[in-house]
Amino acid sequence: MLVKTRMFCKKIMLLLWRTNSHISRMYSIESKKVLDQQVALVIGSTHGIGLSIARRLAQDGATVLLNSRKQENVDRAVRELTAEGLNASGTKCHVGKAEDREKLVETALKRYGKINILVCNAAVNPFMGPLLETTEEIWNKVFGVNVTSHFLMVKLVVPHMQKEGGGSIIICTSFAAFRPHPYLGAYCVSKTAQLSLTQVLAMALQPMNIRVNGLAFGIINTSFSDVLTNTHEKKKEIMNYYGITRIGEPEECGGIASFLCSPDASYISGENIVVSGGSHVRL
Ligand code: NAP
C-alpha cells in the first residue's frame, strides 16, 4: 500500500513538473518577441512607410531611433510611439548630409550601445514631368538622397553590425523600379539602382553575416504618393496603370520588414520583394 502510494505521488510530481515546464516553455515563447534586444535605425521614420516600419519593429521588441529632417516631426513621432508603450527615441537627421549621418550613428551608439538593423527608407522626388526636362541639379538631388546617401549610411553602420556578429539591412525601393512611370523618370532610375544596390551589398556583406534585402512598394497611401492619387481620376488612372484594385496602407508595409529582420529570415538575403497588392506588370 505504501509503495503504491509512493508511486502514485511520484507520478503526480512528474505530471506536475511536465505541466509546469510546458507552461513555462509556452510562456517564454509567448513573452519573447522576435526582435527583442535589437536596435534599429529606420532612415526617414517620422511619417508614412518609415514610421509604420519603425512602429512594427518596436512592437516586435526592437528599440528604434526615429529620425528625419524636421525636429517637430521627430518629436511628434517619438510622442506617438512612446505613448503606445514602445521603445523609441529620436534625433534630427538629413540623410543627404554627411555630418547628420555620422551624428545619427553616434547617437544610436551613445544611447543604446549598438546597431543591429538599418532600414534605408527616406527618398525624394522633387520633379514630376518629362525625363528630358530633368535638370542636372534635380538628377543629382534624387540620386544623392535615394542612392548615394543610403550607400554611405550602410558603410557607416556595417562596422558596428560586425561587432555584433551580423545584422539586417533593408533598402526601400519601389514597384516603379520594375515598371517606370514616364513622369517620374529620375526617381524610377534611382529606384532601379536600389535593386542592384541591394544585390551587390548582399554579396559584399554576406561574409560578415549581414543580410540585405529590398522591399519594392506599390502605391501606398502617404503624403509622398498624394500627387498620384489626390483626385478620383488620378487614383483610377494610376491603379489601371499598375493593374491594382486598391491603394495600400503604410501599416501593410511593416510586417514584411520585421520578418526580414527576424531570425526566421536568416537564410534570405539579396532579395527584392514586391509589396504592391498583386500588381502583375513586371519588366
Ligand atoms: P513619406 O510619407 O514622404 O515619408 C518620408 C519620411 O522620410 C518622412 O518621415 C520624412 O520626414 C523623411 N525624409 C524625407 N527626406 C529625408 C531626408 N533627406 N533625410 C531624412 N529623412 C527624410 O514617404 P513614403 O511614401 O513613406 O515613402 C517611403 C519610402 O517608400 C521611399 O523610399 C519611397 O520611395 C518608397 N515608396 C513609396 C511609395 C508610396 O506610394 N508611398 C511607393 C513606392 C515606394 P521629414 O519630412 O521630416 O524629413
Side-chain angles (χ1 to χ4, degrees), residues 83-124:
E84 293 166 20
L86 301 171
N87 285 328
S89 69
T91 190
K92 203 174 119 176
C93 169
H94 184 317
V95 73
K97 295 183 179 167
E99 65 274 22
D100 280 20
R101 290 192 295 269
E102 279 157 23
K103 210 185 95 214
L104 181 67
V105 171
E106 274 166 27
T107 306
L109 296 173
K110 215 190 255 172
R111 286 188 198 164
Y112 306 119
K114 60 177 187 168
I115 300 168
N116 308 100
I117 293 168
L118 171 67
V119 181
C120 296
N121 168 73
V124 289

Side-chain angles (χ1 to χ4, degrees), residues 102-161:
E102 279 157 23
K103 210 185 95 214
L104 181 67
V105 171
E106 274 166 27
T107 306
L109 296 173
K110 215 190 255 172
R111 286 188 198 164
Y112 306 119
K114 60 177 187 168
I115 300 168
N116 308 100
I117 293 168
L118 171 67
V119 181
C120 296
N121 168 73
V124 289
N125 177 48
F127 174 68
M128 200 168 165
L131 179 66
L132 293 182
E133 287 177 22
T134 310
T135 63
E136 186 175 349
E137 193 190 355
I138 288 169
W139 184 274
N140 287 341
K141 182 166 184 172
V142 169
F143 275 75
V145 173
N146 299 3
V147 185
T148 313
S149 70
H150 292 305
F151 169 62
L152 296 173
M153 197 71 228
V154 168
K155 276 186 69 168
L156 271 183
V157 163
V158 159
H160 304 290
M161 287 186 169

Side-chain angles (χ1 to χ4, degrees), residues 84 143 176 207 227 238 274 282:
E84 293 166 20
F143 275 75
V227 65
I238 197 78
V274 177
R282 303 274 175 91

Side-chain angles (χ1 to χ4, degrees), residues 117-255:
I117 293 168
L118 171 67
V119 181
C120 296
N121 168 73
V124 289
N125 177 48
F127 174 68
M128 200 168 165
L131 179 66
L132 293 182
E133 287 177 22
T134 310
T135 63
E136 186 175 349
E137 193 190 355
I138 288 169
W139 184 274
N140 287 341
K141 182 166 184 172
V142 169
F143 275 75
V145 173
N146 299 3
V147 185
T148 313
S149 70
H150 292 305
F151 169 62
L152 296 173
M153 197 71 228
V154 168
K155 276 186 69 168
L156 271 183
V157 163
V158 159
H160 304 290
M161 287 186 169
Q162 263 187 294
K163 277 185 209 148
E164 298 306 311
S168 177
I169 297 172
I170 292 178
I171 310 278
C172 294
T173 178
S174 170
F175 187 74
F178 298 101
R179 174 101 203 263
H181 187 287
Y183 274 39
L184 299 172
Y187 171 80
C188 293
V189 184
S190 76
K191 290 285 150 182
T192 309
Q194 286 186 324
L195 300 178
S196 182
L197 181 64
T198 294
Q199 292 171 326
V200 182
L201 280 173
M203 284 191 281
L205 304 184
Q206 193 185 15
M208 299 160 206
N209 194 32
I210 298 171
R211 296 181 299 102
V212 187
N213 289 292
L215 287 175
F217 297 116
I219 309 290
I220 308 293
N221 184 17
T222 69
S223 52
F224 195 73
S225 64
D226 200 44
V227 65
L228 299 171
T229 58
N230 59 10
T231 66
H232 181 67
E233 288 69 36
K234 281 192 200 172
K235 204 185 240 183
K236 227 171 124 187
E237 193 186 322
I238 197 78
M239 290 201 310
N240 282 341
Y241 187 72
Y242 285 118
I244 47 171
T245 51
R246 72 173 175 89
I247 307 288
E249 293 301 326
E251 293 71 28
E252 295 180 281
C253 304

